[in-house]
C-alpha cells in the first residue's frame, strides 16, 4: 500500500508561527528572516537548527518552564529561554556554546533523577521526547543518583512512598502514569488553549507538583476531561499514553485521511503497523481542525473491527426467515432480479434508493446515477434532507447557493457570534474549541436555544445573552431581532443598497417594523424577555463582525426553511456577509451531508443543485451517461413509504442509512418497509432497517476506501485507503456491481475517475481533481476556472444570485400543539460521545459515557409527576410511546423535555410526528407534544420490538 507522502513541513518548530514585519537575525552563523514576534526557537528551526526543548511545542504558546532551550545572545547577559524570547533585528544567537551545553545537561540530569529508567519496556520507547532530548544534550550519566525522595517507586526502604501515585487507567482510551510526569504543563496548556475545557491543572508546589484531572481524588474518567486527546498528543513522555500503543506498539507508517463522523471534517494521520491501525492522530496541516480532534475521531474507530460487523452478503426470501450467507454474485443477482421484476410488474417508478451522508462524494454520485440512469427515475433521497434541506432551500433563495458562506478559520476574526439551534460542544466539538478560543479572546456570544447548552456558561466563557425560546418559535424570535435592528436604525444601508434588492428590502423592513413583531409583543409567545432580546439585537448589529452559526435546531422544524431565510435577512441587513469573521454558517450533522446534497441526492435536483426539469442540465448528464433522465421529480422518503403502504412503491436500495431509527414516526417507517417486496440494505451492521430487508450488502468503512468528503465549510477533503476492505470491496465498487447486474456497463477502476466525471458535469466542482487535492491538501467549492484555488469565503463582491433577496418571514405556528393530554414539548439532539443513530459509537468504548438515552426534565415538571432522578419514565405522544430513565436538570426550561436518539432500545422517534418543513419535508424533530409519567421499565412496544429484532437478525450457519 502506498502511503500518502506529505508535501508539507510537519516538523514541530517549538512555538506558533507569527505574522508581522520581517526581521533578520543570525543563528549559529546562519542568517534567517522571520516575522516580527517570532521566538528565537522557531527562527532557529526555520534555519534548520533544532534547539532542545521539552515544554515547548508549536501548537501551544510559549511557556518557558523546562529551561532546556536556553541560548546565548550577543550583547545580552544570561541565558534566556529561546521559546519565550522574541527575535530582534540584527540579533546574533548561539545555541551550542559550552555554557548552554553545560546548563542543558544539568537540567536533564535533574529530570532523569526522578524518572523511571524503563526505557526498553516503556510504551513510548522510540517516540519519547525526553529520551530524544537526553541524547541531544549528550547525557551519559546522572550524578545525583536515584536515592532519596522521588515519585518513581511505590515503596522506599520498606515503607510506602507518599509521593508515589499509581497509574490511572480509568479512561478507556489512555493511561496517566504520574511517575513519568516531568511537569512540563503541556497537557494542562493543551486542555486550556486548544480544547478549552480546563479539566487539567498542576496541583502542589515545587517538588510536590503534579498533573491533576479535576478535583483532588478525581480520576480522568470521572473528571471534566472530554477525552479529546489533546493532552495525550502534547505529552512528551509516556505519562499520557494511548492504550492502543501500549498494546500494539509504536506505529511505523501513516496515511492521511478524513474523519467519518461530524461535519467538521477533521484530517487525521492513521498510524499503523503493517495493516493494523494503532492510533488516529489529528493532522496538524488539516485546515478544518488545525491539529485538534474530539473523542470520536481520535479514539472511536474500533467499530471497524467489531465482531458485529457483517462481512459477507446475505439474502432471504421473506423477512420472517433467517438470513443466509451467499456469494457476491448470488446476492447481486438476487437483488437485481427482484428490482427488475418489480419494475416489469409495477412500472419504472416502483423502485428507488437512498444515498448516504456517511459515504464519499463519489459513492453518493454513483448511487444517484444508478437510480436515474439504471432504475430510470428520480426516486432518490438522502438523510441530508432529514437534517439540512432547509439550509439548501433558504440560502439558495436568499444568496444563490445552498451552502454556508465561510471557512472555519473565519471564526478567528469575528466579534459577535450568534449560535442558534446548535450545540457545538457536543455536536461539532473541534469547531467549538476554536469558537471558545475566540470567545476567551474577547468576542461576544449570543445563544438562542431552549436548553442552557454548555456554551451559555463554561470555564472562562459566559454568553452575553441567552434567549431561551419556546421550541417552534424560531421565526418569531428572529423577526423580533430584525424589528429592533430596523426600528432603531441599525441597518447597514450602504451594504443593502449596493448588494441587495432595495425594493425587496423596503418591503421586508416594513414587514418586520410592524408592532406585532416587537419583542414586547412576541414575549408571551416565545418566552424570551423583551429587554434581553433587544440587547441581543443591538449587540449583533453594532458589535463589529457578526457571525451566525446554526444547526438542526433551526432546520428540523415546520418552518425550517423560513428560519434559514430569516437568518439570511439578519446577515444582509447588518452587512455581515462577504468577508472573514461574518456570514451564515450551517453546522452540518454528518461527515458528508454537504457532499450528499452537492451530489444530487434529492429527487428534484441533479448534482450541483440543478433542477431535473432543466433541459440543458439534463443534456449534460445524458451525454456522458448515455441514458435518458426523467424530467419529473421523484419521491422523497416519506412519499416512498406512503406509496409502499398503498402498493405503488415496492423496492428500495438503502446505502449507509438507518431510516427505521433515524426518521420520524417509527411506526410509519416500519409499515412502509414491511410492505415492500425488496429492501436492500448496504451497511456495516445489521441495523434496525435491516430487520425488514431481503438483501444485505456488507459495506466498507472510511478506513477501507478512497474518495472525498465535503464538510460544513464546503471543504473537499481526501479520504485515503488505510487498509484493504474487510468485506472485499469498497462501497463504490458494490454500487457499480449492482448497477451492472441490472444492465449497466460501468467500468470505473478508481474513485478518481468518478471525481473527473463530477468535475465534467458540475460547475462548482469543475476545477477539482485528485491531483489538485494532493497538491493543495483540500479545496473549498466553488473551485473552477474563475476560482482555481477554491472559495474560503463566499459572496465577497456580490451574491451568486446577483442581488441578495430579502424574504418576508411570517411566523406560522406548528400544527403540533400541547394540550391537556400532552402538555410538554419534547425536543431532541445529540451528545458528545455518541453519533447519530449510534451504529458506530455504540460499538466502541464511548458507551462508558452514554450507555443509554435519558430524558432530561426540569425538576418542577418532575415533581409534579412524582418522578425521581434515574427513575424509568414513559414518554407518550399522539404517535407512540417509549420508556427511558429520567435525568432531572435545570438546563431545560419548565415545560420542555429533551432526549437523544442514539440507542435503538429507546427508539425515540417512535414518539415524533410526521409534520415537516413546508418547503423540503425536513421532519419536525424538535417539537413534539408529549406527556411524561412514571414507568416500571420498557413499554410493551419496546419489548415486542426487541423480540422482533432478535428474530430478524438470525443468521443460518455457513455451509461447510
Amino acid at each position: 500500500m502506498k502511503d500518502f507522502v506529505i508535501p508539507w513541513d510537519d516538523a514541530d518548530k517549538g512555538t506558533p508561527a507569527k505574522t508581522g514585519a520581517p526581521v533578520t537575525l543570525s543563528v549559529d552563523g546562519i542568517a534567517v528572516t522571520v516575522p516580527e514576534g517570532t521566538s528565537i526557537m522557531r527562527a532557529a528551526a526555520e534555519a534548520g537548527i533544532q534547539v532542545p526543548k521539552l515544554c515547548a511545542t508549536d501548537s501551544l504558546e510559549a511557556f518557558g518552564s523546562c529551561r532546556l532551550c536556553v541560548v546565548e545572545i550577543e550583547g545580552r547577559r544570561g541565558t534566556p529561554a529561546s521559546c519565550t524570547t522574541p527575535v530582534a533585528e540584527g540579533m546574533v544567537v548561539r545555541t551550542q556554546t559550552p555554557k548552554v551545553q553545560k546548563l542543558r545537561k544539568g537540567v536533564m540530569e535533574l529530570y532523569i533523577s526522578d524518572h523511571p529508567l524503563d526505557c526498553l519496556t516503556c510504551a513510548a520507547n522510540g517516540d519519547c521526547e525526553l529520551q530524544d532530548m537526553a541524547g541531544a544534550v549528550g547525557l551519559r550519566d546522572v550524578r545525583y543518583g536515584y536515592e532519596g525522595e522521588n515519585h518513581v517507586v511505590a515503596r522506599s526502604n520498606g515503607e510506602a512512598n507518599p509521593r508515589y501515585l499509581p497509574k490511572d487507567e480509568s479512561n478507556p482510551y489512555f493511561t496517566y502514569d504520574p511517575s513519568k510526569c516531568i511537569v512540563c504543563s503541556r497537557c494542562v496548556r493543551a486542555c486550556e488553549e486548544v480544547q478549552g475545557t480546563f479539566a487539567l491543572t498542576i496541583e502542589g508546589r515545587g517538588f510536590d507538583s503534579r498533573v491533576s484531572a479535576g478535583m483532588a481524588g478525581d480520576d480522568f474518567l470521572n473528571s471534566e476531561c472530554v477525552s479529546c486527546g489533546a493532552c495525550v498528543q502534547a505529552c512528551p513522555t509516556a505519562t499520557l499514553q494511548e492504550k492502543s500503543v501500549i498494546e500494539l506498539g509504536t506505529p511505523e507508517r501513516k496515511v492521511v485521511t478524513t474523519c467519518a463522523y461530524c461535519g467538521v471534517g477533521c484530517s487525521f494521520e492513521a498510524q499503523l503497523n503493517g495493516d493494523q491501525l494503532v492510533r488516529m492522530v489529528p493532522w496538524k496541516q488539516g485546515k478544518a481542525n488545525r491539529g485538534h480532534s474530539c473523542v470520536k475521531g481520535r479514539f472511536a474507530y474500533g467499530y471497524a473491527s467489531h465482531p458485529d460487523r457483517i462481512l459477507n452478503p446475505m439474502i432471504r426470501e421473506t423477512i420472517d426467515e433467517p438470513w443466509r450467507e451467499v456469494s457476491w454474485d448470488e446476492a447481486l443477482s438476487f437483488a437485481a432480479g427482484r428490482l427488475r421484476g418489480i419494475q416489469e410488474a409495477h412500472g419504472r417508478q416502483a423502485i428507488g434508493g437512498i444515498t448516504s451522508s456517511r459515504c464519499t462524494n463519489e459513492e453518493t454520485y454513483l448511487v444517484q446515477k444508478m437510480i436515474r440512469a439504471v432504475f430510470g427515475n428520480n426516486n432518490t433521497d438522502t438523510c441530508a434532507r432529514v437534517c439540512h434541506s432547509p439550509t439548501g432551500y433558504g440560502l439558495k433563495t436568499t444568496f444563490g447557493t445552498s451552502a454556508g458562506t465561510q471557512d472555519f478559520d473565519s471564526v478567528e476574526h469575528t466579534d459577535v457570534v450568534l449560535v442558534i439551534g446548535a450545540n457545538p460542544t457536543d455536536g461539532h466539538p473541534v469547531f467549538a474549541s476554536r469558537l471558545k478560543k475566540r470567545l476567551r479572546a474577547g468576542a461576544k456570544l449570543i445563544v438562542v436555544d431552549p436548553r442552557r447548552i454548555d456554551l451559555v456558561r463554561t470555564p472562562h466563557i459566559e454568553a452575553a445573552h441567552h434567549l431561551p425560546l419556546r421550541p417552534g418559535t424560531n421565526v418569531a424570535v428572529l423577526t423580533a431581532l430584525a424589528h429592533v435592528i430596523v426600528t432603531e436604525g441599525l441597518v447597514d444601508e450602504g451594504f443593502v443598497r449596493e448588494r441587495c434588492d432595495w425594493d425587496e428590502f423596503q418591503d421586508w423592513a416594513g414587514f418586520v417594523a410592524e408592532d406585532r413583531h416587537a419583542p414586547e409583543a412576541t414575549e408571551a409567545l416565545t418566552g424570551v424577555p423583551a429587554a434581553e432580546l433587544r440587547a441581543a439585537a443591538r449587540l449583533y448589529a453594532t458589535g463589529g463582525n457578526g457571525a451566525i452559526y446554526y444547526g438542526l435546531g433551526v432546520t428540523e422544524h415546520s418552518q425550517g426553511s423560513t428560519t434559514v431565510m430569516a437568518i439570511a435577512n439578519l446577515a444582509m441587513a447588518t452587512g455581515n456577509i462577504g468577508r472573514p469573521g461574518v456570514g451564515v454558517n450551517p453546522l452540518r450533522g454528518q461527515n458528508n451531508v454537504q457532499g450528499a446534497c452537492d451530489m444530487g441526492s434529492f429527487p428534484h435536483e441533479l448534482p450541483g443543485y440543478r433542477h431535473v426539469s432543466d433541459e440543458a442540465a439534463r443534456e449534460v448528464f445524458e451525454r456522458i451517461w448515455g441514458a435518458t433522465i426523467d424530467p419529473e421529480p421523484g419521491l422523497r422518503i416519506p412519499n416512498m413509504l406512503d406509496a409502499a403502504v398503498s402498493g405503488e412503491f415496492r423496492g428500495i436500495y438503502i446505502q449507509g442509512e438507518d431510516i427505521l431509527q433515524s426518521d420520524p414516526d417509527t411506526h410509519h417507517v416500519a409499515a412502509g418497509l414491511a410492505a415492500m417486496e425488496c429492501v436492500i440494505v448496504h451497511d456495516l451492521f445489521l441495523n434496525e432497517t435491516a430487520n425488514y430487508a431481503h438483501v444485505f450488502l456488507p459495506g466498507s468503512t472510511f478506513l477501507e476506501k478512497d474518495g472525498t468528503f465535503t464538510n460544513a465549510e464546503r471543504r473537499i477533503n481526501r479520504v485515503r485507503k488505510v487498509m484493504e476492505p474487510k468485506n472485499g470491496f469498497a462501497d463504490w465498487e458494490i454500487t457499480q456491481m449492482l448497477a451492472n447486474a441490472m444492465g449497466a456497463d460501468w467500468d470505473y477502476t478508481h474513485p478518481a475517475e468518478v471525481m473527473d466525471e463530477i468535475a465534467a458535469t458540475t460547475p462548482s466542482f469543475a476545477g477539482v481533481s485528485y491531483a489538485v487535492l494532493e497538491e493543495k491538501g483540500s479545496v473549498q467549492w466553488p473551485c473552477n476556472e474563475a476560482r482555481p484555488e477554491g472559495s474560503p469565503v463566499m459572496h465577497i463582491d456580490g451574491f451568486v444570485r446577483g442581488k441578495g433577496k430579502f424574504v418576508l418571514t411570517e411566523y406560522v405556528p406548528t400544527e403540533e400543539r400541547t394540550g391537556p393530554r400532552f402538555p410538554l414539548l419534547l425536543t431532541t439532539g445529540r451528545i458528545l460521545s455518541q453519533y447519530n443513530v449510534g451504529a458506530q459509537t455504540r460499538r466502541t468504548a464511548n458507551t462508558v459515557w452514554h450507555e443509554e438515552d435519558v430524558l432530561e426534565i426540569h425538576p418542577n415538571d418532575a415533581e409534579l409527576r412524582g418522578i425521581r432522578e434515574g427513575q424509568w419514565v414513559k414518554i407518550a405522544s399522539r404517535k407512540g410511546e417509549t420508556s427511558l430513565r429520567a435525568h432531572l436538570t435545570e438546563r431545560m426550561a419548565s415545560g420542555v423535555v429533551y432526549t437523544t436518539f442514539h440507542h435503538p432500545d429507546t427508539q425515540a422517534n417512535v414518539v415524533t410526528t410526521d409534520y415537516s418543513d413546508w418547503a423540503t419535508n425536513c421532519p419536525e424533530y424538535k417539537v413534539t407534544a408529549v406527556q411524561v409519567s412514571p414507568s416500571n421499565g420498557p413499554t410493551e412496544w419496546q419489548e415486542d420490538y426487541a423480540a422482533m429484532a432478535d428474530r430478524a437478525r438470525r443468521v443460518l450457519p455457513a455451509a461447510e
Side-chain angles (χ1 to χ4, degrees):
M1 184 188 300
K2 181 181 178 182
D3 289 0
F4 172 49
V5 179
I6 301 173
W8 293 271
D9 181 5
D10 238 17
D12 186 342
K13 298 181 179 178
T15 60
K18 302 293 182 181
T19 56
V23 174
T24 301
L25 68 157
S26 170
V27 181
D28 291 343
I30 300 174
V32 59
T33 301
V34 294
E36 184 179 15
T38 300
S39 70
I40 291 175
M41 176 181 285
R42 187 175 182 95
E46 297 286 359
I49 298 167
Q50 298 300 318
V51 178
K53 58 181 171 49
L54 281 172
C55 73
T57 182
D58 58 14
S59 63
L60 303 172
E61 294 299 326
F63 195 57
S65 71
C66 76
R67 312 311 297 173
L68 204 61
C69 70
V70 293
V71 295
E72 288 196 273
I73 303 172
E74 193 173 285
R76 294 194 188 183
R77 297 169 56 189
T79 52
S82 62
C83 65
T84 56
T85 306
V87 298
E89 184 67 36
M91 179 182 278
V92 177
V93 178
R94 301 291 179 188
T95 71
Q96 292 294 338
T97 66
K99 184 176 182 179
V100 298
Q101 289 175 333
K102 182 178 180 181
L103 285 171
R104 289 174 187 159
K105 191 174 292 187
V107 168
M108 184 58 70
E109 281 187 90
L110 291 171
Y111 278 121
I112 299 301
S113 70
D114 190 31
H115 194 83
L117 298 181
D118 60 349
C119 293
L120 291 179
T121 57
C122 178
N125 187 20
D127 189 27
C128 174
E129 292 181 46
L130 184 67
Q131 194 179 59
D132 294 342
M133 292 305 105
V137 303
L139 184 66
R140 299 295 175 260
D141 58 17
V142 177
R143 293 169 295 168
Y144 307 113
Y146 303 97
E147 303 300 323
E149 295 185 356
N150 65 80
H151 302 88
V152 177
V153 296
R155 300 185 68 82
S156 181
N157 298 322
E159 296 181 358
N161 180 358
R163 286 194 168 89
Y164 175 83
L165 288 177
K167 183 186 291 188
D168 178 356
E169 300 186 80
S170 61
N171 189 286
Y173 296 119
F174 60 85
T175 63
Y176 165 55
D177 187 348
S179 71
K180 297 184 176 181
C181 181
I182 61 172
V183 200
C184 64
S185 296
R186 273 164 61 164
C187 59
V188 177
R189 290 149 54 210
C191 191
E192 295 175 359
E193 297 178 26
V194 179
Q195 169 57 27
T197 296
F198 294 81
L200 305 183
T201 188
I202 301 293
E203 69 175 18
R205 301 181 66 181
F207 194 64
D208 291 325
S209 300
R210 68 174 85 248
V211 173
S212 174
M215 306 295 290
D218 282 353
D219 58 22
F220 267 81
L221 181 61
N222 295 298
S223 71
E224 293 183 352
C225 169
V226 294
S227 299
C228 67
C231 60
V232 180
Q233 188 174 357
C235 182
T237 68
T239 305
L240 290 158
Q241 184 70 66
E242 297 98 333
K243 289 182 177 179
S244 59
V245 174
I246 296 172
E247 178 185 352
L248 303 174
T250 306
E252 296 178 347
R253 69 181 186 93
K254 59 189 177 184
V255 178
V256 174
T257 190
T258 303
C259 179
Y261 278 118
C262 80
V264 175
C266 297
S267 296
F268 277 87
E269 291 179 358
Q271 299 188 356
L272 307 98
N273 283 326
D275 65 350
Q276 185 175 52
L277 181 60
V278 177
R279 64 183 174 189
M280 299 288 286
V281 177
W283 188 37
K284 66 188 296 184
Q285 303 293 348
K287 295 177 183 177
N289 56 320
R290 301 294 182 187
H292 190 36
S293 61
C294 79
V295 63
K296 294 189 288 290
R298 182 71 155 88
F299 297 116
Y301 52 81
Y303 67 88
S305 55
H306 195 277
D308 283 355
R309 187 171 168 192
I310 304 298
L311 300 178
N312 298 304
M314 301 189 298
I315 62 174
R316 56 186 175 185
E317 291 291 335
T318 62
I319 62 173
D320 57 354
E321 294 181 355
W323 287 102
R324 179 167 59 91
E325 288 188 358
V326 295
S327 68
W328 277 101
D329 286 344
E330 184 175 352
L332 293 165
S333 177
F334 180 89
R338 283 256 177 140
L339 293 177
R340 282 300 188 204
I342 290 170
Q343 287 191 308
E344 289 169 5
H346 303 283
R348 184 165 45 89
Q349 300 290 342
I351 65 173
I354 300 174
T355 73
S356 175
S357 294
R358 293 187 287 130
C359 289
T360 65
N361 286 316
E362 294 79 0
E363 289 161 346
T364 302
Y365 177 87
L366 289 184
V367 171
Q368 64 85 34
K369 176 180 179 179
M370 177 175 68
I371 294 165
R372 291 190 160 105
V374 182
F375 291 8
N377 59 53
N378 288 310
N379 294 335
T380 174
D381 204 357
T382 177
C383 67
R385 182 192 53 77
V386 177
C387 56
H388 266 288
S389 51
T391 288
Y393 182 92
L395 296 186
K396 187 172 185 180
T397 299
T398 52
F399 297 162
T401 52
S402 300
T405 63
Q406 315 293 121
D407 61 2
F408 287 141
D409 286 348
S410 174
V411 76
E412 298 171 9
H413 305 282
T414 193
D415 300 306
V416 179
V417 178
L418 194 161
V419 175
I420 175 170
N423 187 8
T425 54
D426 279 24
H428 304 85
V430 172
F431 168 72
S433 293
R434 300 184 70 179
L435 170 60
K436 289 190 289 185
K437 187 172 185 177
R438 178 61 192 141
L439 295 173
R440 292 196 303 274
K444 303 297 183 183
L445 174 65
I446 302 165
V447 173
V448 184
D449 200 285
R451 293 175 80 218
R452 193 180 70 241
I453 61 173
D454 287 345
L455 279 178
V456 173
R457 181 174 293 173
T458 196
H460 301 277
I461 293 170
E462 185 170 5
H465 304 285
H466 176 212
L467 311 184
L469 78 171
R470 191 165 288 116
T473 62
N474 288 339
V475 171
V477 167
L478 289 165
T479 305
L481 290 168
H483 174 93
V484 176
I485 291 168
V486 169
T487 58
E488 295 190 7
L490 306 179
V491 171
D492 185 340
E493 187 174 325
F495 179 91
V496 174
R497 284 186 177 275
E498 178 185 353
R499 301 282 301 276
C500 305
D501 186 302
W502 181 250
D503 291 336
E504 289 178 342
F505 165 75
Q506 288 184 309
D507 290 342
W508 172 80
F511 166 76
V512 300
E514 294 174 13
D515 290 343
R516 64 191 177 101
H517 297 309
E520 292 75 13
T522 60
E523 181 173 343
L525 168 69
T526 65
V528 177
E532 193 77 7
L533 193 149
R534 283 189 176 275
R538 293 166 186 148
L539 176 60
Y540 175 72
T542 65
N545 286 340
I548 300 176
Y549 293 89
Y550 69 89
L552 305 186
V554 160
T555 56
E556 291 179 343
H557 285 274
S558 61
Q559 282 200 285
S561 294
T562 310
T563 307
V564 173
M565 292 187 287
I567 289 171
N569 290 340
L570 277 185
M572 290 187 292
T574 54
N576 280 310
I577 290 289
R579 63 183 185 277
V582 299
V584 174
N585 306 280
L587 296 174
R588 304 285 189 166
Q590 297 188 61
N591 52 300
N592 204 35
V593 164
Q594 182 67 60
C597 299
D598 299 340
M599 292 299 103
S601 294
F602 297 134
H604 64 289
E605 286 180 332
L606 295 163
Y609 304 98
R610 288 162 291 174
H611 203 278
V612 293
S613 63
D614 183 338
E615 185 176 352
R618 290 200 314 277
E619 286 177 355
V620 170
F621 292 94
E622 289 174 341
R623 183 175 66 254
I624 291 177
W625 292 355
T628 301
I629 298 174
D630 190 334
E632 293 296 322
L635 301 176
R636 293 168 174 161
I637 294 172
N639 309 125
M640 295 182 199
L641 296 170
D642 289 340
V645 172
S646 65
E648 300 168 21
F649 186 89
R650 294 173 178 258
I652 191 167
Y653 167 71
I654 305 172
Q655 183 184 74
E657 180 62 15
D658 190 359
I659 62 172
L660 188 64
Q661 188 177 343
S662 65
D663 280 34
D665 192 357
T666 302
H667 292 307
H668 178 242
V669 178
L673 290 170
M676 296 187 200
E677 297 175 18
C678 182
V679 175
I680 304 169
V681 169
H682 177 174
D683 216 312
L684 302 175
F685 306 101
L686 280 173
N687 58 25
E688 306 310 303
T689 303
N691 295 340
Y692 294 91
H694 305 86
V695 181
F696 186 89
L697 303 178
S700 56
T701 71
F702 79 108
L703 298 168
E704 301 163 352
K705 63 178 73 172
D706 285 297
T708 57
F709 293 149
T710 306
N711 74 350
E713 50 172 359
R714 295 170 284 103
R715 184 177 304 283
I716 306 163
N717 259 322
R718 277 283 277 116
V719 179
R720 295 181 178 85
K721 184 190 290 186
V722 174
M723 60 186 70
E724 291 301 314
K726 294 182 184 296
N727 62 328
F729 298 98
D731 292 323
W732 67 270
E733 295 176 291
I734 296 168
T735 300
Q736 174 167 272
M737 291 189 297
L738 178 59
N740 288 342
M742 293 192 66
D745 188 25
W746 297 358
D747 59 356
Y748 302 104
T749 61
H750 192 274
E753 298 169 3
V754 183
M755 178 54 74
D756 291 343
E757 186 173 310
I758 294 168
T761 56
T762 309
S764 56
F765 277 66
V768 181
S769 68
Y770 278 34
V772 168
L773 295 175
E774 295 297 316
E775 175 192 346
K776 302 182 184 302
S778 63
V779 295
Q780 291 171 264
W781 69 258
C783 176
N784 46 35
E785 187 175 348
R787 295 180 176 272
E789 300 296 315
S791 309
V793 177
M794 295 282 285
H795 316 298
I796 294 175
D797 300 316
F799 289 101
V800 171
R801 72 181 308 279
K803 294 288 188 179
K805 181 180 182 65
F806 282 87
V807 178
L808 305 190
T809 53
E810 189 70 65
Y811 168 68
V812 179
T814 173
E815 293 182 43
E816 178 69 358
R817 311 288 176 87
T818 56
R821 285 183 60 209
F822 303 106
L824 302 175
L825 282 177
L826 168 70
T827 187
T828 61
R830 298 181 179 183
I831 199 165
L832 171 63
S833 62
Q834 296 294 324
Y835 171 70
N836 204 27
V837 297
Q840 294 152 270
T841 45
R842 281 187 285 108
R843 292 176 171 91
T844 70
N846 280 27
T847 53
V848 73
W849 291 288
H850 189 76
E851 63 182 0
E852 61 181 351
D853 294 321
V854 297
L855 185 74
E856 292 187 9
I857 184 169
H858 192 278
N860 290 348
D861 294 327
E863 184 177 5
L864 286 172
R865 292 162 175 79
I867 294 169
R868 302 182 305 278
E869 174 67 27
Q871 180 181 352
W872 279 96
V873 295
K874 182 174 73 174
I875 181 168
S877 73
R878 296 178 177 92
K879 286 293 181 179
E881 60 185 34
T882 189
S883 288
L884 65 171
R885 297 185 191 274
H887 172 54
L888 277 57
T889 174
E890 293 185 352
R891 286 165 66 101
M892 302 304 303
S894 184
V896 180
V897 294
Y898 170 88
T899 191
T900 53
F901 56 96
H902 303 304
H903 292 266
D905 293 342
T906 306
Q907 286 282 22
N909 281 320
V910 76
V911 301
T912 53
T913 72
D914 54 6
Y915 293 124
S916 62
D917 174 52
W918 61 271
T920 66
N921 276 141
C922 181
E924 190 172 44
Y925 291 108
K926 304 304 182 187
V927 182
T928 304
V930 297
Q931 178 59 287
V932 178
S933 57
S935 172
N936 293 323
T939 64
E940 183 178 349
W941 178 85
Q942 285 171 285
E943 292 174 346
D944 291 345
Y945 177 83
M948 182 274 291
D950 286 341
R951 290 194 303 272
R953 295 190 175 105
R954 291 171 298 158
V955 179
L956 291 175
E960 295 295 336

